[in-house]
Structure formats: structure tokens, C-alpha cells
Amino acid sequence: GESVGLHLPTLSVQEGDNSIINCAYSNSASDYFIWYKQESGKGPQFIIDIRSNMDKRQGQRVTVLLNKTVKHLSLQIAATQPGDSAVYFCAENFDNFGNEKLTFGTGTRLTIIP
Amino acid sequence: NAGVTQTPKFRVLKTGQSMTLLCAQDMNHEYMYWYRQDPGMGLRLIHYSVGEGTTAKGEVPDGYNVSRLKKQNFLLGLESAAPSQTSVYFCASKETGREANYGYTFGSGTRLTVV
């Protein structure tokens, strides 16, 4: 079946450094991609999204890059802070004639080292 | 504006018992979703609804039923709970339309343990 996967299950980064989290997706028809942050005991929290007609989108300290040629997403977090420690998921949205569904990857645990 | 509210937040069931999880949203969203999340894994879609009175199966629908009698509520039922259904359940709702940002809104989850 279709799946969204991540290259690295864990990532440790020194506070203040930049981090990059990668994600591979397999459904070339997915039209919308979202990065979520999940802290322990909480639901997914929206970070940033990107539509399939774009290759880059920037937010506050975060940038998402989309490479449709190799079906690859990345999330860059600049100047990491202790509060960035969490599990990060990429998700792909597929719209099948009005039936929209979001498929999640398995997640990467980001740990910020003080 | 409460967003997406899930009840209960925690529940322990015995094998074979039944229960219903309630998801309520006050944003007038058309689409609603039920996901489960097992330890160390991403969310997997159980069932979803694209409007009042409609439901559809997701990736892992077996052992669950759903109903969407009112637009604001999406119920997830377990008729005969099994230990394999121990998980954290998340509900989400979504605006329609490509222009919507922050399209999916998630609840805070229901932690279910089946013993």
C-alpha cells in the first residue's frame, strides 16, 4: 500500500544548531504535505505545510522543501531550542474526488542537547 | 472556540467490552477522521467522514464502527474490545477547499487500554 516513511528514527542536535528531518513519500498523486510536531501526551501540532505545486515554503524558523522528482520532503529547523524536542511527522494528503485522507509517516524523535 | 474535543481522555476496558469514543468539533468542518497511534508509530487512519451521514473505511477499520449523525460529532465504536486495540486514538477535522491553511485540527487524544 501507499506509505510515508522517514529516513532517521532519532536525531540529536546541539541547541542553537540547525536540524534537518527527512521524509520519503510514495504516492505521486499526493497534492499536499504537512509537517507535525508531537510532544509527549499531546496530539499532533501543525508546523508547516506545502502544496505539490511548490518546492519550498518558509515559516518562522522552519522551512519545508519538496522534491517531487525523488518524492522527498524535508523539514529544516533553524537555531534549535529546547522546546523543539519532540517527535516530528510528515504526512501526505491525497484527494480522491473529494475523499481527502492524510497518511502519516512513522516519525523522527528530535532531541535538542542543551 | 474549543476546536476538537475528545471524550473520554482515558479508559480501561476488559476484553469483550464495548465502548464509544466521542469526537466533537465546533468549527463547522465537513471532514472528520479517526486515527490510532501505537507506541513508536505514526497515526493510522481507522475511518473517516466527508459529511454528515457519510462514513468510509481507512487503513485499519477492522473491529471499529463509526457514525456521523450530526455534522459536529463523529463517534467511534468498539463492539468487542481486544487487547490489540490498546492505543491512543486521535480525532481530527478538516476544512474543505484548497485555500484553507492549517487544514487539519486534531484533538488531544483518548488513551485506551484493553486488558
Side-chain angles (χ1 to χ4, degrees):
Chain A
E2 305 285 20
S3 65
V4 177
L6 292 173
H7 294 166
L8 296 173
T10 61
L11 178 64
S12 296
V13 175
Q14 203 73 35
E15 182 178 353
D17 287 352
N18 299 334
S19 68
I20 300 177
I21 300 172
N22 295 302
C23 174
Y25 66 94
S26 59
N27 187 349
S28 58
S30 292
D31 60 352
Y32 175 55
F33 303 88
I34 311 172
W35 280 101
Y36 287 97
K37 174 185 181 183
Q38 188 176 30
E39 296 172 298
S40 182
K42 297 184 178 179
Q45 175 190 351
F46 174 95
I47 301 174
I48 192 167
D49 60 0
I50 188 168
R51 305 218 181 270
S52 59
N53 61 353
M54 303 170 69
D55 53 21
K56 181 178 181 179
R57 191 163 188 221
Q58 289 184 291
Q60 187 177 11
R61 288 201 303 119
V62 294
T63 301
V64 55
L65 299 177
L66 174 63
N67 185 332
K68 293 184 290 294
T69 302
V70 295
K71 295 183 208 166
H72 184 267
L73 270 173
S74 67
L75 175 69
Q76 301 176 1
I77 304 175
T80 53
Q81 303 167 356
D84 294 331
S85 292
V87 178
Y88 290 81
F89 294 96
C90 67
E92 59 179 317
N93 185 77
F94 175 58
D95 184 353
N96 182 19
F97 299 103
N99 283 293
E100 290 190 65
K101 294 187 289 184
L102 198 63
T103 302
F104 283 79
T106 54
T108 292
R109 181 173 298 280
L110 176 65
T111 301
I112 306 303
I113 304 167
Chain B
N1 187 343
V4 176
T5 303
Q6 293 184 231
T7 52
K9 295 192 184 306
F10 303 94
R11 185 72 185 268
V12 178
L13 282 180
K14 293 183 179 178
T15 298
Q17 285 185 317
S18 64
M19 79 162 293
T20 300
L21 282 67
L22 171 64
C23 176
Q25 53 95 3
D26 60 2
M27 299 168 285
N28 202 35
H29 286 175
E30 287 292 336
Y31 294 178
M32 295 187 74
Y33 304 83
W34 275 108
Y35 289 88
R36 62 176 287 174
Q37 184 176 30
D38 299 319
M41 296 183 66
L43 282 69
R44 291 184 292 167
L45 183 63
I46 305 172
H47 286 280
Y48 65 103
S49 168
V50 299
E52 182 179 317
T54 70
T55 63
K57 295 180 180 180
E59 296 174 69
V60 288
D62 294 343
Y64 304 95
N65 57 74
V66 288
S67 65
R68 183 100 181 268
L69 299 180
K70 294 182 179 180
K71 186 177 184 179
Q72 64 268 34
N73 296 335
F74 195 28
L75 306 178
L76 178 70
L78 287 73
E79 290 187 348
S80 179
S84 61
Q85 294 178 302
T86 294
S87 190
V88 180
Y89 292 83
F90 288 101
C91 177
S93 69
K94 185 185 183 300
E95 301 176 61
T96 55
R98 286 286 166 264
E99 69 283 358
N101 286 323
Y102 306 95
Y104 290 85
T105 303
F106 282 84
S108 57
T110 295
R111 186 173 296 274
L112 175 66
T113 302
V114 182
V115 297

